[in-house]
Amino acid sequence: VGSEMCIRDRDYKEDSSAEADANFVITDKNKIIEIQATAEQYPFSEKMFLELMMLAKSGIEEIIKKQKDVLEN
């Protein structure tokens, strides 16, 4: 999170200046394995957390789809 905007897959420069950081590990069945979230300077809202989670889930779904496509070919 930076300036109230959620960004997925930040580079180092963006990540080092983020206001919050979150890592999600979710299975292909949408089961949560791990969530780690940290407010770097100021607390963030539940709304922001849910936005981060939805952004992470969409990214994970893309990765899982690509992995399955590769394994099928």
Side-chain angles (χ1 to χ4, degrees):
V1 177
S3 300
E4 295 295 316
M5 185 172 78
C6 297
I7 300 173
R8 186 175 74 202
D9 300 325
R10 293 174 167 263
D11 63 24
Y12 175 78
K13 185 177 177 182
E14 292 170 325
D15 191 53
S16 65
S17 64
E19 295 169 13
D21 185 35
N23 300 300
F24 295 83
V25 181
I26 301 173
T27 70
D28 62 335
K29 306 282 190 237
N30 278 324
K31 301 290 184 183
I32 297 169
I33 295 172
E34 178 181 358
I35 297 174
Q36 177 185 340
T38 305
E40 300 295 344
Q41 294 181 11
Y42 304 103
F44 57 92
S45 67
E46 181 179 356
K47 179 183 179 219
M48 183 65 66
F49 172 78
L50 294 174
E51 287 179 38
L52 288 168
M53 186 167 179
M54 296 309 295
L55 188 61
K57 286 175 73 174
S58 70
I60 291 168
E61 288 169 3
E62 289 175 24
I63 292 169
I64 290 170
K65 182 184 181 321
K66 288 179 182 181
Q67 289 174 332
K68 287 182 177 182
D69 289 347
V70 167
L71 291 172
E72 289 176 0
N73 294 323

